[in-house]
């Protein structure tokens, strides 16, 4: 199959790939193998960055660098405009009602730690936090730490063998003791798109707030936090084609207002006396210390880039790629593919009868194909499926059908390499 | 070619037909030795002979070709040796794999095949995992 897709803004797939400098460079492998093209299939771990994002970070540090919210000089104003400008872009990107509902963090993990430490500080023994068995460690361990501190209990919506939530158990799991629900939107292992609409509706019927971990969904689908009516939404800039080290916690104003600060320091205070302080208003109450303004500059540019391609166009292309990859991968001999059969995201975890996922990843690397192998920071889910490790190929709009065909060809070659002649 | 250095014939053979690999369900899961970055795990059982030597070392677990072959070859080379000698070997092996000791594995029998792993820092932990587990079992 040839790759002749044109995105909403008139850019062809090959033109889009040219925006990503890393895809233009040959990969140097060990042992004198001639450099090869990179086939990057690890976007679920971190996305590659378009030149526009790299330029924005570069521009910030070459022309705009200054501290925010305090300097009265020209650069201080510019840096503040960049930082707060990205906050507005994010508000619009996820359709939040207010700009001050967007809190900058380091990444999804920090967003959830902020929430657990701050919102969770009032939890009492006997209170129940409902999570799922498929959560990434980042939406599990912060709640475990909270449980040790406050005595609250953690409960879990189970998963089935397809990596789908057993939502028929939801009514029993939501009780009058449930004080919080946290669930991932899209699974980083199975590619499952969870029915968060149903979970939010049922939790809200009992006045329970819901956090959506949007690390894997925000780069691949249009998020509308008002339509979803979720109370919190967390995501990372680096998975959204932006720089590492900047992430977001969205929270509804009423909740954020009621929450105590997460970290203390500069920028988050209104007035400081030696004996006590008062807090700054939202969102700065949660942003202690000098923030990652360069990261914000890059993230703002990443959002512009996505908007130019348009989510409709990105989704159409990624859906086509996902369907194609699902069809080809499920046809490979001796491969077990995990995750739902039908509607799913472009995340494909698999195991091979004849070789371990590490050896698979190492073999593919020899041909420039980057996949992940391991437990994907979801050990409880892996344990439930009785698998210690999986290989995972994950897609983005810069991937092509030819790359998927190449992956399939090399998976077959790996099977032969490890089973032949021994 | 570096890739074939990594997966030498001996390694693939031990990975496919591991020696001294048995079901060790009688050992509690608390004693599993795990590589937290990848989820690989290994259990070790040591039988001592009357004179205090390692009569037989068995392993069980789930790992890649590198960690499985390393475990298999380890169980062979330590057989009949004293506890002290084996603890010293473990120390040396780990240092050599981490490239902190430039000695060769020349006199280590089949294990010389693992020298290729030194060039792949991310895989060194795969090779040393069973050795750490054996050290745990001996201490």
């Amino acid at each position: 199959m040839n790759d002749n897709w044109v995105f909403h803004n008139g850019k062809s797939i090959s033109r889009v790939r040219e925006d990503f400098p890393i895809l233009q460079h040959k990969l140097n492998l060990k042992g004198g193998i001639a450099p090869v093209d990179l086939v990057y299939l690890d976007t679920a771990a971190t996305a590659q960055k378009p030149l526009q994002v790299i330029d924005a970070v570069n521009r910030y540090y070459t022309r705009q660098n200054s501290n925010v919210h305090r300097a009265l000089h020209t650069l201080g104003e510019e840096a503040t405009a960049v930082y707060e400008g990205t906050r507005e872009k994010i508000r619009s990107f996820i359709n939040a009602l207010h700009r001050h509902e967007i809190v900058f963090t380091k990444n999804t993990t920090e967003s959830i730690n902020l929430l657990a430490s701050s919102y969770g500080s009032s939890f009492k023994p006997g209170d129940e936090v409902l999570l799922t068995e498929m959560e990434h460690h980042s939406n599990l361990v912060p709640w475990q730490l909270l449980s040790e501190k406050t005595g609250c209990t953690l409960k879990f919506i189970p998963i089935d063998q397809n990596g789908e939530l057993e939502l028929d158990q939801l009514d029993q799991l939501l009780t009058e003791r449930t004080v919080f629900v946290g669930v991932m939107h899209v699974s980083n292992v199975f590619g499952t798109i969870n029915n968060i609409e149903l979970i939010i509706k049922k939790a809200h019927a009992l006045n329970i707030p819901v956090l959506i971990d949007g690390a894997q969904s925000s780069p691949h689908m249009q998020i509308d936090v008002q339509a979803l009516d979720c109370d919190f939404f967390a995501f990372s800039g680096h998975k959204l084609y932006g720089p590492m080290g900047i992430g977001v916690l969205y929270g509804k104003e009423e909740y954020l207002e009621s929450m105590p600060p997460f970290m203390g320091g500069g920028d988050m205070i209104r007035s400081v006396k030696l004996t006590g302080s008062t807090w700054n208003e939202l969102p700065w109450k949660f942003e202690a210390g000098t923030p990652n303004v360069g990261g914000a500059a890059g993230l703002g540019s990443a959002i512009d880039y996505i908007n130019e391609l348009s989510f409709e166009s990105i989704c159409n292309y990624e859906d086509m790629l996902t369907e194609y990859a699902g069809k080809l991968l499920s046809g490979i001999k001796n491969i077990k593919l995990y995750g739902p059969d039908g509607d799913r995201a472009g995340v494909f975890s698999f195991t091979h009868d004849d070789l371990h996922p590490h050896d698979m990843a190492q073999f593919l690397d020899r041909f420039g194909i980057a996949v992940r192998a391991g437990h994907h920071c979801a050990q409880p889910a892996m344990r439930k499926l009785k698998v210690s490790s999986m290989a995972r190929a994950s897609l983005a709009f810069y991937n092509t059908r030819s790359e998927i065909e190449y992956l399939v060809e090399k998976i077959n070659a790996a099977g032969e390499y490890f089973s032949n002649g021994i | 070619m570096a890739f074939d250095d990594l997966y030498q014939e001996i390694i693939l053979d031990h990975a496919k037909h591991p020696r001294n690999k048995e079901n060790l369900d009688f050992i509690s899961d608390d004693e599993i030795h795990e590589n937290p970055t990848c989820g690989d795990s290994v259990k070790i059982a040591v039988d001592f002979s009357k004179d205090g030597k390692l009569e037989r070392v068995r392993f069980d677990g789930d790992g890649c070709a590198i960690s499985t072959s390393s475990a298999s070859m380890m169980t062979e080379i330590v057989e009949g040796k004293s506890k002290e000698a084996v603890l010293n070997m473990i120390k040396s092996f780990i240092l050599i794999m981490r490239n902190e000791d430039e000695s060769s594995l020349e006199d280590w029998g089949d294990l010389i095949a693992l020298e290729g792993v030194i060039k792949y820092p991310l895989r060194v932990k795969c090779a040393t995992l069973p050795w750490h587990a054996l050290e745990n079992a001996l201490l």
Side-chain angles (χ1 to χ4, degrees):
Chain A
M1 279 179 111
N2 57 355
D3 289 295
N4 48 5
W5 187 272
V6 178
F7 288 89
H8 176 76
N9 60 353
K11 272 188 185 173
S12 64
I13 174 66
S14 58
R15 180 67 194 77
V16 163
R17 285 175 65 81
E18 283 169 21
D19 284 337
F20 290 80
I22 212 164
L23 301 179
Q24 309 309 311
H25 281 273
K26 295 269 181 188
L27 202 59
N28 285 311
L29 301 173
K30 291 193 174 99
I33 305 171
V36 294
D37 288 326
L38 169 66
V39 177
Y40 190 73
L41 298 172
D42 198 16
T43 294
T46 195
Q48 296 302 347
K49 326 300 178 197
L51 191 60
Q52 289 81 343
V53 167
I54 300 165
D55 280 348
V57 177
N58 189 11
R59 187 166 55 245
Y60 175 75
Y61 284 113
T62 47
R63 291 192 222 150
Q64 300 166 312
N65 181 49
S66 175
N67 216 326
V68 288
H69 300 148
R70 42 191 86 112
L72 292 177
H73 47 71
T74 304
L75 284 185
E77 209 173 277
E78 251 187 73
T80 304
V82 165
Y83 188 59
E84 295 304 327
T86 292
R87 199 189 305 276
E88 170 56 24
K89 282 180 189 176
I90 293 167
R91 186 209 62 75
S92 157
F93 185 67
I94 62 171
N95 194 32
L97 189 57
H98 305 292
R99 195 187 305 173
H100 59 252
E101 293 175 323
I102 307 299
V103 177
F104 282 120
T105 61
K106 197 164 67 184
N107 46 36
T108 308
T109 299
E110 190 180 77
S111 297
I112 297 174
N113 275 275
L114 185 165
L115 197 55
S117 298
S118 170
Y119 187 78
S121 62
S122 61
F123 292 178
K124 298 177 299 296
D127 285 353
E128 292 174 1
V129 174
L130 182 61
L131 306 169
T132 82
E133 285 182 344
M134 68 166 71
E135 294 310 306
H136 188 281
H137 295 164
S138 62
N139 195 25
L140 172 59
V141 182
W143 303 106
Q144 289 174 341
L145 292 172
L146 182 70
S147 159
E148 279 173 27
K149 211 185 285 178
T150 66
C152 69
T153 308
L154 307 186
K155 292 173 84 176
F156 301 93
I157 304 173
I159 55 169
D160 64 18
Q161 289 301 309
N162 282 334
E164 293 184 271
L165 293 177
E166 294 181 355
L167 288 176
D168 50 338
Q169 303 202 28
L170 191 55
D171 287 331
Q172 287 156 277
L173 287 163
L174 285 169
T175 71
E176 69 279 6
R177 290 186 300 275
T178 312
V179 292
F180 196 84
V181 175
V183 54
M184 68 194 328
H185 196 171
V186 168
S187 163
N188 66 312
V189 177
F190 307 111
T192 320
I193 302 166
N194 287 321
N195 187 350
I196 55 169
E197 292 81 0
L198 178 76
I199 295 170
I200 293 168
K201 203 176 109 197
K202 294 213 164 178
H204 282 183
L206 298 167
N207 290 318
I208 305 162
V210 181
L211 156 73
I212 301 302
D213 170 354
Q216 295 296 341
S217 62
S218 54
H220 304 290
M221 56 180 81
Q222 184 78 60
I223 301 298
D224 183 333
V225 291
Q226 291 188 73
L228 284 171
D229 200 25
C230 57
D231 305 281
F232 299 97
F233 189 92
F235 62 98
S236 295
H238 74 95
K239 291 203 191 337
L240 199 64
Y241 313 98
M244 290 182 170
I246 184 126
V248 172
L249 175 67
Y250 156 82
K252 279 184 187 163
E253 181 184 40
E254 50 177 305
Y255 285 110
L256 293 179
E257 283 290 5
S258 71
M259 287 160 53
F262 171 48
M263 292 195 287
D267 225 26
M268 53 75 71
I269 36 77
R270 176 168 291 142
S271 157
V272 178
K273 294 178 185 152
L274 286 177
T275 47
S277 303
T278 50
W279 316 132
N280 201 341
E281 59 196 62
L282 290 178
W284 305 292
K285 179 170 86 176
F286 295 108
E287 296 179 2
T290 295
N292 183 356
V293 187
L299 180 53
S301 170
I303 288 174
D304 291 342
Y305 189 88
I306 291 172
N307 285 339
E308 273 170 37
L309 287 186
S310 100
F311 256 125
E312 195 193 344
S313 186
I314 289 174
C315 290
N316 284 340
Y317 182 65
E318 289 186 347
D319 286 352
M320 180 277 291
L321 272 188
T322 300
E323 202 188 319
Y324 190 60
K327 203 177 81 190
L328 259 59
L329 288 166
S330 58
I332 303 178
K333 214 175 99 194
N334 299 333
I335 282 278
K336 173 158 175 52
L337 196 58
Y338 297 86
D341 296 327
D343 201 21
R344 61 176 298 158
V347 175
F348 295 94
S349 291
F350 59 94
T351 50
H352 192 288
D353 292 346
D354 297 331
L355 67 155
H356 189 277
H358 285 181
D359 302 317
M360 175 64 79
Q362 192 87 55
F363 185 89
L364 296 175
D365 178 63
R366 179 194 198 185
F367 301 98
I369 303 173
V371 299
R372 168 97 191 257
H375 54 57
H376 310 295
C377 297
Q379 287 181 8
M382 308 287 286
R383 232 166 257 139
K384 174 93 182 226
L385 267 69
K386 298 190 170 60
V387 185
S388 71
S389 174
M390 298 173 184
R392 179 189 71 188
S394 53
L395 306 172
F397 59 75
Y398 44 61
N399 291 123
T400 62
R401 284 174 295 203
S402 339
E403 287 181 314
I404 294 166
E405 289 159 9
Y406 193 57
L407 169 73
V408 170
E409 178 192 325
K410 294 308 173 196
I411 291 175
N412 279 320
E416 277 165 34
Y417 183 92
F418 282 89
S419 54
N420 265 1
I422 296 164
Chain B
M1 185 181 278
F3 189 80
D4 293 323
D5 282 352
L6 183 62
Y7 291 105
Q8 291 185 28
E9 201 70 7
I10 304 173
I11 291 181
L12 293 177
D13 176 53
H14 276 273
K16 203 86 184 159
H17 311 288
R19 331 296 197 248
N20 299 309
K21 185 171 190 228
E22 282 180 19
N23 182 326
L24 298 178
D25 279 351
F26 65 88
I27 298 178
S28 113
D29 282 355
D30 296 340
E31 284 171 55
I32 291 181
H33 211 82
E34 275 180 306
N35 181 346
T37 55
C38 62
D40 276 7
S41 63
V42 64
K43 281 180 185 177
I44 299 274
V46 183
D47 300 322
F48 290 97
S49 61
K50 278 182 201 137
D51 58 356
K53 301 257 167 73
L54 276 72
E55 191 170 65
R56 193 165 172 225
V57 175
R58 291 169 292 164
F59 80 102
D60 189 10
D62 187 61
C64 60
I66 305 296
S67 84
T68 303
S69 64
S70 180
S72 167
M73 294 187 277
M74 174 186 81
T75 61
E76 286 190 325
I77 202 165
V78 299
E79 211 178 283
K81 295 198 164 61
S82 73
K83 188 169 137 180
E84 286 66 36
V86 171
L87 284 171
N88 281 330
M89 286 179 74
I90 293 171
K91 237 176 241 147
S92 304
F93 180 79
I94 291 171
L95 287 176
I96 292 170
M97 293 313 290
R98 286 186 190 153
N99 215 7
E100 289 168 17
D101 175 346
E102 283 174 23
S103 314
S104 162
L105 290 171
E106 234 165 42
D107 303 328
W108 291 61
D110 284 358
L111 281 156
I112 192 171
L114 283 173
E115 274 193 347
V117 179
I118 299 169
K119 282 181 272 176
Y120 291 81
L122 294 174
R123 302 303 298 277
V124 166
K125 274 188 183 166
C126 308
T128 55
L129 179 73
W131 296 75
H132 284 292
L134 176 61
E135 189 179 30
N136 252 30
L138 292 177
L139 290 176

